[in-house]
Amino acid sequence: MTIALICPDKDPTPWINAFAIQAPNINVEIWPNIKDKNQIHLALCWNQPTGSLLRFPNLKAICSMGAGIDHLLNDNQLPTNIPVTRIIDLDLAKSMFNYLLTAVIDHISALPNYRRQQAEKNWQWTRQRPFNKTKIGILGLGQIGSYCALEFAKLGFIVAGVSESKKQLEKVSSYTSNQIETFLSQADILICLLPLTDKTRGILNIDTFNKMNKGSYLINVARGDHVIDEDLISAINNGQLSGACLDVFKHEPLPNNHPFWQNPNITITPHCSSLTRPRTAAKQIIKNYQLAHEGLPLKNLVDINRQY
Ligand code: OXD
């Protein structure tokens, strides 16, 4: 029994090292150098080539290397009869929260503005907006979204979140997706943590921006395909939004000629808000490898039909 690592555009070394330390008895092979395709029982994937998973006749589990599974679903030959899992790791939620808190404080403290002023040797201050006067709206109250909502609320921010079903989270106002207009009108800072599905693709568009308070700020740490890029640029340029902090893009790395690079009100980071740590995440893959071997239900299963 072997685990196949299928991640043509990611370095598999940290995963190989994590498995070597935590489960030295498990054989791990790297796509496309698979010795015996019949031996592959679990495939750990990030952007696997289309049709690659069909080549393993004894595959029992398909595991995403990250929290998202949209990259798996891009493969229109993804086997539909094999369970799919994703990474659920408190470390991912914690590092996402650290990133988001940094982005929120950067914005409410006007640091981008001070960086511009520094370049002009311009000495002018504005008052920092206090946490308890800052309304944060979180699109997507899944595992990471709920964790971040609770942490922001603990710090005194006014927090609301929207999800398919209502959530009970202390000091967080929860809205369902059919109450999205009310939710949007209550956020000064909108954070997108949604999974990418047919329903959520393009959700950050001009209609959404126009439903937000004038001068609101957007933070997108979900997927670039949630955003209609031209709509975001025009919402920022006409002042409907004061700016955005973007960690994810339609094409990564963000192409050199993309207008986001030039926009002084957009902060860009290279898809680093919450990086899976193989050292902590390998444990759940090893567990799933054992469960698959015993024919038992896997952990962190996703519903392919729901797309998350
Ligand atoms: C993920 C990601 O899905 O890194 O984990 O975007």
Side-chain angles (χ1 to χ4, degrees):
M1 260 175 65
T2 298
I3 292 182
L5 298 186
I6 311 182
C7 50
D9 46 13
K10 250 194 211 297
D11 176 10
T13 315
W15 284 101
I16 299 170
N17 294 342
F19 288 128
I21 293 167
Q22 296 177 37
N25 52 331
I26 296 181
N27 192 36
V28 177
E29 292 181 4
I30 320 298
W31 170 272
N33 303 318
I34 306 290
K35 288 196 200 103
D36 181 355
K37 295 192 174 55
N38 293 309
Q39 286 302 317
I40 303 300
H41 283 193
L42 182 149
L44 179 58
C45 308
W46 187 267
N47 270 334
Q48 78 279 5
T50 298
S52 52
L53 293 168
L54 290 176
R55 307 201 187 163
F56 306 119
N58 297 316
L59 194 61
K60 294 182 172 28
I62 299 170
C63 304
S64 166
M65 255 181 203
I69 60 146
D70 48 296
H71 59 98
L72 295 176
L73 303 180
N74 287 340
D75 177 352
N76 59 15
Q77 293 175 44
L78 182 77
T80 48
N81 55 341
I82 297 172
V84 173
T85 71
R86 68 188 190 99
I87 301 290
I88 297 189
D89 185 358
L90 187 58
D91 261 27
L92 272 183
K94 285 183 178 167
S95 61
M96 180 60 86
F97 177 67
N98 291 345
Y99 176 97
L100 292 173
L101 182 60
T102 309
V104 164
I105 293 181
D106 192 67
H107 171 62
I108 63 177
S109 311
L111 290 183
N113 196 31
Y114 294 141
R115 285 191 279 270
R116 279 195 293 277
Q117 286 186 190
Q118 180 176 349
E120 297 155 8
K121 303 191 176 120
N122 177 359
W123 183 276
Q124 288 205 58
W125 57 269
T126 45
R127 221 173 265 290
Q128 187 192 43
R129 191 184 326 163
F131 289 8
N132 64 0
K133 297 252 174 330
T134 303
K135 296 185 208 148
I136 294 185
I138 300 188
L139 273 172
L141 288 178
Q143 189 251 348
I144 296 181
S146 297
Y147 177 87
C148 295
L150 286 168
E151 292 301 305
F152 276 119
K154 278 188 213 158
L155 290 175
F157 288 96
I158 304 163
V159 186
V162 75
S163 46
E164 282 300 315
S165 54
K166 238 181 163 57
K167 297 277 159 94
Q168 294 295 332
L169 299 171
E170 204 179 334
K171 297 196 179 138
V172 175
S173 313
S174 167
Y175 295 87
T176 56
S177 41
N178 50 16
Q179 299 171 302
I180 193 150
E181 292 203 17
T182 320
F183 160 81
L184 287 171
S185 67
Q186 293 185 15
D188 300 321
I189 300 177
L190 182 69
I191 296 176
C192 180
L193 272 164
L194 288 167
L196 183 67
T197 67
D198 294 341
K199 257 185 166 170
T200 65
R201 192 179 302 275
I203 192 169
L204 300 173
N205 57 42
I206 203 72
D207 287 343
T208 302
F209 301 143
N210 284 340
K211 286 176 188 142
M212 293 164 65
N213 295 328
K214 199 164 173 70
S216 304
Y217 190 71
L218 171 71
I219 303 177
N220 186 20
V221 284
R223 287 291 182 259
D225 281 323
H226 286 119
V227 182
I228 305 297
D229 293 359
E230 312 78 64
D231 288 6
L232 177 58
I233 289 175
S234 74
I236 291 176
N237 290 348
N238 70 23
Q240 176 57 23
L241 294 187
S242 55
C245 171
L246 306 175
D247 184 50
V248 286
F249 305 91
K250 275 189 184 28
H251 302 288
E252 296 181 2
L254 183 64
N256 282 349
N257 60 355
H258 197 288
F260 285 166
W261 284 115
Q262 311 299 333
N263 196 304
N265 296 312
I266 295 182
T267 297
I268 289 170
T269 56
H271 200 146
C272 60
S273 53
S274 174
L275 300 170
T276 303
R277 286 197 174 82
R279 223 163 6 111
T280 57
K283 205 167 147 221
Q284 59 192 272
I285 304 298
I286 296 165
K287 183 74 197 166
N288 273 338
Y289 171 87
Q290 289 157 348
L291 291 170
H293 184 54
E294 290 160 24
L296 294 170
L298 307 186
K299 285 164 85 85
N300 305 334
L301 277 170
V302 295
D303 179 348
I304 285 290
N305 296 322
R306 231 171 42 159
Q307 304 180 313
Y308 63 94

